[in-house]
Every structure is written in C-alpha cells, then in structure tokens.
Amino acid sequence: MGVYRFVLAGLVVASHCGILFAGYNEGVVAVVSFMLLSGYIMSIIINNNYATVGSDHIFYIDRIVRLAPQFIFFSAASLILLNFTKIGLEHLSWMEYNSCSTPILLLNFSLFANNFNRFFGSCMLLPASWSLGLEASFYAIAPFLLRRANRLARCAAAAASIVFFFLAYFGMIDADLYAYRLLPGTLIIFFTGAALADPSLFPRNAAPILWLCVLALYLWSRGAPAIYDRPFLKEVLVGLLLGAPILALLSARPFSAVDELAGSVSYGVYLNHIMLIWIAQGYFGVRSWGPGSFAILLVAASLLATLTYVFIERPTLSWRRRIRSTRRLPSAQAVHHI
C-alpha cells in the first residue's frame, strides 16, 4: 500500500497547485482515502499489538513517535521560512501570517490542535496538517472503539456519525467542517476502513452495504445541483466510492520493497509540499503549474522527504519495532512500516 499512499500524496500536491480533474478536487478524494487507510491500518495495529487492557498509552506513544519527528521539523522549517525570508513579507493565499499571535503559532506544533484551526483563524504553518489533526482525533478513541467497546457501542457510534454526515450533507450544519474536516461526521469513514481490515467489528456485510448507500446518494445528488455543487461534498463521496474498493484489492497484495520506499517518502511529501510551493512562488515567480513545473515540484518534495525520512524518522523505527515486538500476539501479522 506504500505506492498507493505516495499516489494519494501526489494528488494532494496537485490539488494545492490548483490542478483539478474533471471539476473534482482530487486532493479531497485523496484525503478521504487516507482516512480509510488510517482506519484499516489502526485496526490491524491495535489488534496485533495493543489489544490487551493497559496497552493504550503505549499505542499513543507509538503514534506520537510515528508522526511527530517530521511534523515538528517541517513546522519549525515553515516558521523560519515565514519569519526570516521574503516569503513571510508577501501576501500568501494560504494564511494571513502577519495576523498570527505567538501562542497560536506555537499551537501549530500540537498536531491534535491543527484539526481545529478554523476556530482560531488561518494561522497554519503546515496548512495540510489539519487532516493529521483529524487522524490524531481518531487515534485518541481508536483503542476503545475498535477493541474495548462491544459491537453495539461501535454501531451506535457509527450511526451517530452517519447522522452528523447527513445533517452536514443537507446543509443543516456546516458541510465543510462536519462532512469532511471534523471527527463527528468522518468517523464513519475511518470505521469503513477498519471494517475492511476486520469484518467482525460490525454486522456482516456492513462495509458493502454502506458503499451501496454512498453510491445511491452520489447518483441522487448529481440531480440536485444545490447539493452536488457544494464544495467538497461530491469529492467525499467519490473518495469513499473509489477508496474502499481499492483498499480491499490492495489488502490482498503482498507488501514489497517498493511499497516500503514509497510509503516512507509519502508522509514527508504530504508535509513539505506547501512549503516548497511557497518557495517556488516567492523565489522563482511561479504562479501557475503545468505538467513540467508540477513534476519538478513532486520530485523536489520526494527528494526532501527521503532526506527527512532517513535522518529524522528512520532513527525512531527500531525503537517502535521493539515496542510492538514485546506486545505482539503470537499469531499476529506485523505492521512495522506505518
């Protein structure tokens, strides 16, 4: 799945370059697929390594060590870039940096808080990190919902999330927030990924039935322009419609060295590409992205991500593997790379 993760990261980069496919924001489709992947992988990791009572805090340490090193590095790099280069003096469409207070900027270094950036302005050092904050919200409750809670409680949580999603979808609450950015309406997406990894979590055929319902909703919404044209709603549905079958197919494919490399690079690309876009805008005068300039950007992001993986993230891998090896069930399949 590492190659798939890299492709998804590339789609996010394309969307932030203003490149759209057939009127769809492919970055949103990719983020929804990342949510599905997160639910799928967390189900496996928790089941294999953290299923016993009293292991939740080790799971949280595992997740922090996985996400924090590169996140903190690129947050600091972005802060330096905006403060000490001419890029910080320009008006950037991504954020209103000059209006940011020091406490809010420091809050950017808290991964979890970035999911709530809409509530404290547009002061984002890493604008794409809001989705990492969303994942952190899911991690906070994943051990309980995926292993401690019974099926009835999980179904109740899934039903509540579906209600939130429908309220957002039909405009009763903020659609962008509750159908895409915050956990109440997106928990069902994480649950769908988890159900693909472990069908016993929910009643039989829950994931296929949900997929058919999403398909029906998507087809119906195409005849309702007021809903279909609302930002990101159609992309969320397409992300589910495409992401779930792709994930199911890839789950049967053996993991390879190419997957390992691509997956390792994808996280850094996701974190660093907007900073590289700022540099391209500020120092090279790039205002629009064609195939050539986009390819250069993606190569540069991949090379930088490779360096930060080797020198910042990889040193933590052996420690994470030792933690998991001491807690792994005898029959469990290891998932070391995520």
Side-chain angles (χ1 to χ4, degrees):
M1 294 183 186
V3 172
Y4 181 49
R5 289 165 57 207
F6 182 81
V7 170
L8 294 178
L11 292 176
V12 172
V13 176
S15 73
H16 288 152
C17 289
I19 302 170
L20 301 180
F21 293 149
Y24 284 78
N25 187 319
E26 70 280 0
V28 177
V29 175
V31 168
V32 172
S33 295
F34 274 127
M35 294 180 201
L36 291 167
L37 269 169
S38 182
Y40 179 90
I41 293 165
M42 288 311 104
S43 179
I44 294 175
I45 288 177
I46 292 171
N47 187 51
N48 287 3
N49 303 279
Y50 304 108
T52 58
V53 175
S55 62
D56 292 359
H57 67 290
I58 306 298
F59 168 76
Y60 297 138
I61 293 172
D62 179 307
R63 292 294 85 201
I64 291 171
V65 174
R66 166 66 179 93
L67 295 178
Q70 290 200 70
F71 169 75
I72 292 174
F73 173 81
F74 282 118
S75 294
S78 182
L79 182 62
I80 292 170
L81 184 72
L82 292 168
N83 268 290
F84 300 107
T85 73
K86 71 173 186 177
I87 291 175
L89 302 177
E90 294 186 351
H91 173 73
L92 297 172
S93 60
W94 302 96
M95 57 184 285
E96 300 194 6
Y97 178 71
N98 291 333
S99 66
C100 298
S101 65
T102 298
I104 294 301
L105 286 175
L106 292 177
L107 199 59
N108 274 261
F109 288 86
S110 169
L111 185 65
F112 182 83
N114 283 320
N115 187 217
F116 304 99
N117 69 86
R118 289 289 186 90
F119 300 107
F120 49 79
S122 301
C123 301
M124 293 287 289
L125 294 174
L126 299 176
S129 67
W130 72 265
S131 64
L132 300 178
L134 174 59
E135 288 203 24
S137 300
F138 173 65
Y139 296 158
I141 61 175
F144 173 75
L145 286 178
L146 297 183
R147 284 293 166 265
R148 311 286 179 264
N150 57 34
R151 182 184 286 182
L152 180 61
R154 274 193 296 275
C155 289
S161 182
I162 291 172
V163 169
F164 265 99
F165 182 84
F166 269 92
L167 289 174
Y169 195 83
F170 290 102
M172 300 176 191
I173 55 179
D174 190 298
D176 183 44
L177 282 177
Y178 291 102
Y180 177 49
R181 297 184 189 274
L182 296 181
L183 191 60
T186 59
L187 179 61
I188 188 61
I189 301 175
F190 291 100
F191 271 167
T192 301
L196 290 172
D198 184 358
S200 69
L201 290 172
F202 296 95
R204 186 177 179 182
N205 295 324
I209 291 172
L210 177 66
W211 188 89
L212 290 173
C213 292
V214 171
L215 176 62
L217 182 60
Y218 173 75
L219 293 175
W220 171 83
S221 67
R222 288 183 65 91
I227 293 176
Y228 182 78
D229 294 333
R230 197 176 297 161
F232 303 153
L233 289 182
K234 61 181 181 292
E235 286 90 350
V236 172
L237 297 183
V238 169
L240 273 163
L241 292 175
L242 295 179
I246 291 173
L247 183 56
L249 291 172
L250 291 177
S251 64
R253 181 179 178 273
F255 195 74
S256 67
V258 175
D259 277 310
E260 182 80 32
L261 176 61
S264 299
V265 171
S266 63
Y267 181 50
V269 170
Y270 192 86
L271 289 173
N272 71 32
H273 70 276
I274 290 181
M275 187 175 68
L276 294 180
I277 290 174
W278 289 347
I279 292 172
Q281 291 174 339
Y283 286 98
F284 298 99
V286 177
R287 290 296 178 264
S288 62
W289 298 86
S293 56
F294 171 74
I296 292 171
L297 173 66
L298 189 58
V299 169
S302 300
L303 291 175
L304 179 57
T306 300
L307 291 174
T308 54
Y309 169 74
V310 170
F311 293 106
I312 296 175
E313 182 177 328
R314 192 165 67 178
T316 70
L317 289 180
S318 59
W319 184 76
R320 286 172 52 220
R321 288 171 178 169
R322 284 198 301 272
I323 290 178
R324 293 186 187 180
S325 65
T326 62
R327 311 195 66 87
R328 192 176 307 128
L329 299 179
S331 61
Q333 177 187 355
V335 181
H336 288 317
H337 55 282
I338 297 175

